[in-house]
Amino acid sequence: MPAVTVENPLTLPRVTAPTDAVARPVLAVTTAPSGFEGEGFPVRRAFAGINYRHLDPFIMMDQMGEVEYAPGEPKGTPWHPHRGFETVTYIIDGIFDHQDSQGGGGTITNGDTQWMTAGSGLLHIEAPPEHLVMSGGLFHGLQLWVNLPAKDKMMAPRYQDIRGGSVQLLSTPDGGALLRVIAGELDGHAGPGVTHTPITMVHATLAPGAELTLPWREDFNGLAYVLAGRGSVGADRRPVHTGQTAVFGAGSSLTVRADEKQDSNTPDMEVVLLGGQPIREPMAHYGPFVMNTREELQQAFDDFQKGRLGTIPAVHGMSEGGL
């Protein structure tokens, strides 16, 4: 799990919660069910079973892999539409190519993030490059969906390609944890991702036995998803392990600890920390569209069927009707 790392975290700016911070309690710990997405790559549905009032403004998150593909096995997704939200694709291991119906896209690899604001709508495709399909190899990443408020749902689509080297790197006072701030702000340190809805997204690596207590905006919700390893969350040390999500309650700090002993194939505990300012608007979600009303959902489907979200580039030798 390379993502972005440093040899000595003690050379980085350090962050910790103030002593008078109010610790957030852990409301629930859920286990992500496994499934398949797109053309058949394995995913864990990180937010399955969590009430939306604890997720808002986040809609869903899939952990893609971790999987070691044999030659010819790497898979992606076919062309598909989106409208009304943002997709955040974070690649920890492997390579993914993106392309959309407006000519946008690019390649992301170890530690890179692509932030796609679907807005009023487009078609796009995500797939491993041909050379990776031929050779096989390790693939591991996340895709997060972030809702847009009603006023921004029909904005023009845009991309942000966030290279791994541009994320804000931080550590804890004892150097036991490495924090990668991808978007938002943590204790005054801003990540490179620009968001319409105020959020914070952090990928933390905790060495065995390390403890992480971070200041957390009181107007944000708080979620911790364990990508790998095992440990505990909150003041009451609720156990968590790979594929589990902790939902935090109100407060101004959150705590994650790594167990002293980790699995042999997982030397550290890897956690994604998410917080966002709830939009608190009605949400109508079906398939690739996230709107505010059923009527807007129907309009999105109609617009897709009539080609108003774009057409697949002719170089692919396909027509929109082939979707």
Side-chain angles (χ1 to χ4, degrees):
M1 187 175 290
V4 178
T5 190
V6 295
E7 288 189 12
N8 182 9
L10 288 172
T11 62
L12 300 172
R14 281 166 252 184
V15 59
T16 190
T19 56
D20 61 351
V22 178
R24 286 175 173 250
V26 177
L27 302 180
V29 172
T30 63
T31 300
S34 297
F36 293 91
E37 186 57 74
E39 295 172 343
F41 60 83
V43 298
R44 285 189 174 104
R45 309 288 191 190
F47 294 162
I50 300 175
N51 191 295
Y52 183 65
R53 72 176 185 273
H54 299 309
L55 298 176
D56 185 10
F58 307 111
I59 301 164
M60 58 150 277
M61 186 169 74
D62 285 346
Q63 180 179 6
M64 306 180 293
E66 183 173 4
V67 60
E68 183 76 43
Y69 282 121
E73 284 188 340
K75 298 175 176 66
T77 66
W79 283 93
H80 58 283
H82 285 307
R83 172 181 278 180
F85 65 102
E86 300 183 287
T87 65
V88 181
T89 306
Y90 175 50
I91 297 299
I92 300 168
D93 294 283
I95 308 172
F96 234 27
D97 286 340
H98 288 245
Q99 186 181 2
D100 73 23
S101 53
Q102 297 189 352
T107 297
I108 51 176
T109 185
N110 302 342
D112 294 341
T113 301
Q114 186 183 75
W115 206 291
M116 186 185 81
T117 303
S120 60
L122 43 63
L123 308 179
H124 84 142
I125 188 172
E126 303 158 302
E130 186 63 29
H131 69 84
L132 185 62
V133 174
M134 297 296 290
S135 67
L138 185 62
F139 180 78
H140 189 199
L142 282 176
Q143 186 166 98
L144 171 71
W145 288 15
V146 184
N147 202 3
L148 287 169
K151 66 182 179 62
D152 293 328
K153 283 193 178 294
M154 296 300 287
M155 67 176 291
R158 75 169 186 184
Y159 277 97
Q160 297 174 71
D161 281 318
I162 303 170
R163 296 302 162 191
S166 69
V167 301
Q168 173 70 60
L169 299 179
L170 305 169
S171 186
T172 46
D174 63 359
L178 171 62
L179 308 172
R180 306 165 188 87
V181 184
I182 297 168
E185 187 177 85
L186 188 60
D187 198 30
H189 302 277
V194 177
T195 70
H196 290 278
T197 304
I199 73 165
T200 295
M201 180 179 182
V202 178
H203 173 194
T205 300
L206 286 76
E211 179 174 303
L212 177 67
T213 298
L214 298 176
W216 211 250
R217 279 180 52 167
E218 292 188 68
D219 60 337
F220 278 20
N221 58 4
L223 302 160
Y225 176 73
V226 184
L227 286 165
R230 58 185 63 250
S232 62
V233 288
D236 58 351
R237 301 197 174 207
R238 290 275 297 274
V240 290
H241 58 73
T242 302
Q244 290 191 315
T245 301
V247 180
F248 290 90
S252 56
S253 72
L254 54 79
T255 297
V256 179
R257 301 173 188 85
D259 284 354
E260 294 281 354
K261 183 173 176 57
Q262 298 291 326
D263 299 334
S264 58
N265 62 338
T266 307
D268 301 309
M269 184 183 184
E270 305 282 348
V271 182
V272 173
L273 302 170
L274 294 168
Q277 191 172 65
I279 296 173
R280 295 192 177 96
E281 293 177 350
M283 184 179 73
H285 171 205
Y286 188 83
F289 305 122
V290 182
M291 305 303 291
N292 294 102
T293 67
R294 291 179 60 85
E295 291 75 19
E296 290 170 345
L297 271 185
Q298 185 59 57
Q299 185 64 56
F301 275 103
D302 290 347
D303 288 347
F304 168 54
Q305 293 294 334
K306 293 175 181 177
R308 293 174 184 148
L309 301 190
T311 56
I312 296 170
V315 67
H316 288 266
M318 296 172 59
S319 67
E320 193 172 352
L323 286 173

